[in-house]
Amino acid sequence: MKQLIYRSQPFGFDHAMLAGILIQARRNNRRNDITGALICRGDVYLQLIEGPTQAIDALYSQILCDDRHCNVRMVHSEMIDERIFPEWEMLDDELPTLTWSQAEIEDGAVERAGSQELHAVFEKIADKARGRASAT
């Protein structure tokens, strides 16, 4: 199984576009056995996707050609035994206080972050989401 983290800049971002991306991702990811999470802050997408290697490679190829993304750059890729987001086809980062603020992103926080730091951010999001799910 493969895990990949990429960053990109949204083209023409608004909340309706984000909602459309999430709906489409959840439907397609369920079909392709892909899970993950998306962090979206105004001018940056940071996404972790995980699943069968062939499915992840195909999805990343589609993202590279998707005109809703600009400046797509892979920042982490590795083979894994266990998913971080097994319960979510695509978790939306609903708790932006766990990640960088818009000002930190504008200051280059994502570009300076190493793959371990990026991975840790997604682990925090998953832990918080699991806590919310078990509370309901």
Side-chain angles (χ1 to χ4, degrees), residues 35 84-89 130:
T35 57
I84 296 177
F85 296 98
E87 299 91 3
W88 295 280
E89 285 88 13
R130 281 196 267 310

Side-chain angles (χ1 to χ4, degrees), residues 9-10 12 28 38 45 64 67 72-73 76 100 105 116 134:
Q9 292 175 288
N28 294 342
L38 173 66
Y45 289 141
L64 288 170
D67 64 1
V72 179
R73 193 176 95 227
H76 175 78
W100 304 278
I105 287 173
Q116 287 182 328
S134 65

Side-chain angles (χ1 to χ4, degrees), residues 3-78:
Q3 183 182 80
L4 183 146
I5 301 174
Y6 77 89
R7 66 169 298 285
S8 69
Q9 292 175 288
F11 180 77
F13 174 80
D14 64 22
H15 291 288
M17 184 177 81
L18 177 61
I21 287 171
L22 290 168
I23 289 167
Q24 181 182 13
R26 289 171 179 149
R27 181 184 60 241
N28 294 342
N29 290 355
R30 184 177 309 117
R31 180 187 66 228
N32 296 318
D33 193 28
I34 295 173
T35 57
L38 173 66
I39 298 170
C40 181
R41 298 287 178 278
D43 67 344
V44 71
Y45 289 141
L46 186 64
Q47 186 172 31
L48 180 146
I49 52 177
E50 53 196 4
T53 299
Q54 187 174 7
I56 294 299
D57 291 344
L59 176 55
Y60 186 64
S61 292
Q62 290 174 343
I63 290 165
L64 288 170
C65 298
D66 189 328
D67 64 1
R68 297 173 294 186
H69 298 270
C70 299
N71 304 320
V72 179
R73 193 176 95 227
M74 185 186 314
V75 294
H76 175 78
S77 178
E78 72 175 323

Side-chain angles (χ1 to χ4, degrees), residues 101-112:
S101 68
Q102 185 65 37
E104 290 169 318
I105 287 173
E106 289 170 4
D107 190 43
V110 173
E111 287 77 16
R112 288 190 304 273

